[in-house]
Amino acid sequence: MMKRYITPHFQMPNIDLHSHSTISDGVLSPSRLLAHAASRGVNVLALTDHDDVAGLNEASQSAQQENIILIRGVEISVTWRSRTLHILGLGINPEHPPLAEGLKNIRDGRLDRARAIAAQLDKFGIRGSFEGANAQAGESRLIGRTHFARFLASQGYAKDVKSVFKKYLVKGKPGHVSHVWTSLNEAIDWIRGSGGQAVIAHPARYKLGHNLLEQLLCEFCELGGAGLEVVSSSHTPGETQQFAELAARMELYASCGSDYHGPGESYFDLGRLPALPPVCTPIWNEWNIPGISELSQPS
Ligand code: AMP
Ligand code: MN
Ligand code: MN
Ligand code: MN
């Protein structure tokens, strides 16, 4: 086989454990995502679509063609103490019935929320956003705020997706609807029950403050949570260091992920992540992935 041209990157093997496809709110189909990952020199990729696992079959077929190790993942929307948190499941079995049924319930809840968002935007004089967001969602079984944002941006309500969020979709803005997702307990149970590991995604994004953060981490550990996403496109270098130390102190594994949503919608491209700080124990350390240790040897 022809040796793939490996583009320069920051750690070897090149591991990215958080990404999205058109199955949720990403821009690339699972196979295009894998092709893009290969072009960026990614060796190990987790596909972690929001609240759905429907992309994992296509992704694992493409991963074989692209010579990438695919980690089967999901990003579950959770409500903890009236706040939304995202919990990644890594190494899951997507067919585990409680996981599959739980995710289906979350997607049903998203549909109700979408109707409520559209009704609010309607009152604000923005018509047709439910249909517009649905069209943006395409064949996805899930509707999210990103689909609303893309529709509103396409109609010229703001210059891009980011600005639409700021102006319409975050707390205090006309299209914001508060929503109750699943519990932390259930999300962790589904993940662990399916053979996976639970990881708190982009912890700095929640702005929890010292006490709440400690409480979350204690609860997460008691419930059997495994790791903290230390390197994330949502984190500043200072936050990365802070969460690296926290993970080490709490004896949690550290994970790293770009949270890639597609060209033009992410801060980090795939395969361009800084290395985990040395204090961390990488979550993949104990994964028995064939070929991963060979990748660690410089060739
Ligand atoms: P939802 O789960 O439907 O509430 O949507 C959450 C998703 O919206 C996140 O996963 C991001 O992809 C996107 N998102 C959230 N906040 C922002 C923001 N401020 N700017 C751009 N995208 C955002
Ligand atoms: Mn998203
Ligand atoms: Mn997230
Ligand atoms: Mn994500």
Side-chain angles (χ1 to χ4, degrees):
M1 194 203 295
M2 213 174 74
K3 199 166 180 190
R4 189 194 308 145
Y5 174 69
I6 308 271
T7 45
H9 50 73
F10 299 92
Q11 63 181 359
M12 194 69 191
N14 192 322
I15 297 179
D16 191 328
L17 299 178
H18 188 160
S19 69
H20 296 272
S21 75
T22 45
I23 292 299
S24 62
D25 59 358
V27 173
L28 304 178
S29 67
S31 50
R32 287 184 60 209
L33 181 77
L34 267 293
H36 184 64
S39 77
R40 291 291 174 258
V42 173
N43 303 117
V44 182
L45 182 78
L47 174 60
T48 54
D49 275 308
H50 298 283
D51 308 321
D52 204 353
V53 291
L56 295 174
N57 273 343
E58 181 185 324
S60 63
Q61 281 169 21
S62 302
Q64 282 186 351
Q65 285 162 20
E66 303 291 354
N67 203 17
I68 286 177
I69 296 162
L70 181 83
I71 303 300
R72 295 186 298 177
V74 66
E75 182 174 19
I76 304 182
S77 309
V78 159
T79 297
W80 181 78
R81 306 213 184 164
S82 313
R83 293 154 194 271
T84 298
L85 307 179
H86 286 172
I87 303 296
L88 297 165
L90 298 177
I92 54 160
N93 168 8
E95 274 148 35
H96 179 60
L99 174 68
E101 284 155 26
L103 296 179
K104 164 86 169 63
N105 286 337
I106 298 180
R107 294 195 299 274
D108 289 347
R110 281 180 168 278
L111 199 57
D112 296 337
R113 182 186 67 152
R115 291 202 181 92
I117 292 175
Q120 298 223 150
L121 289 173
D122 208 59
K123 274 195 232 150
F124 198 70
I126 299 175
R127 312 274 178 233
S129 67
F130 183 73
E131 294 72 19
N134 258 308
Q136 293 290 333
E139 306 207 332
S140 165
R141 304 192 293 185
L142 161 152
I143 183 159
R145 283 186 297 162
T146 308
H147 302 123
F148 278 90
R150 289 184 189 141
F151 169 69
L152 293 178
S154 75
Q155 298 297 299
Y157 286 103
K159 70 174 191 321
D160 56 20
V161 162
K162 229 174 174 39
S163 317
V164 174
F165 265 91
K166 240 186 177 158
K167 216 166 145 189
Y168 296 101
L169 298 175
V170 295
K171 220 174 202 160
K173 300 297 171 178
H176 183 264
V177 167
S178 62
H179 187 71
V180 180
W181 306 99
T182 196
S183 68
L184 183 62
N185 192 358
E186 279 190 313
I188 296 175
D189 275 359
W190 301 338
I191 292 167
R192 295 184 73 206
S194 84
Q197 288 172 296
V199 172
I200 301 177
H202 41 63
R205 271 247 294 268
Y206 313 124
K207 309 275 176 236
L208 288 175
H210 182 263
N211 287 349
L212 261 186
L213 183 59
E214 289 277 322
Q215 287 170 31
L216 170 64
L217 294 184
C218 288
E219 211 173 299
F220 182 71
C221 289
E222 277 167 23
L223 292 170
L228 209 51
E229 192 173 57
V230 167
V231 166
S232 161
S233 56
S234 300
H235 290 178
T236 63
E239 286 165 342
T240 298
Q241 189 56 35
Q242 179 203 342
F243 284 101
E245 285 162 19
L246 207 50
R249 180 159 64 77
M250 299 297 293
E251 298 186 345
L252 284 164
Y253 289 116
S255 187
C256 64
S258 60
D259 203 359
Y260 185 72
H261 280 72
E265 291 208 15
S266 298
Y267 294 121
F268 281 7
D269 198 354
L270 288 172
R272 291 293 181 279
L273 297 172
L276 285 174
V279 69
C280 293
T281 307
I283 190 153
W284 56 86
N285 259 17
E286 285 168 31
W287 292 354
N288 202 2
I289 306 179
I292 199 168
S293 51
E294 289 80 353
L295 288 168
S296 310
Q297 311 300 321
S299 51

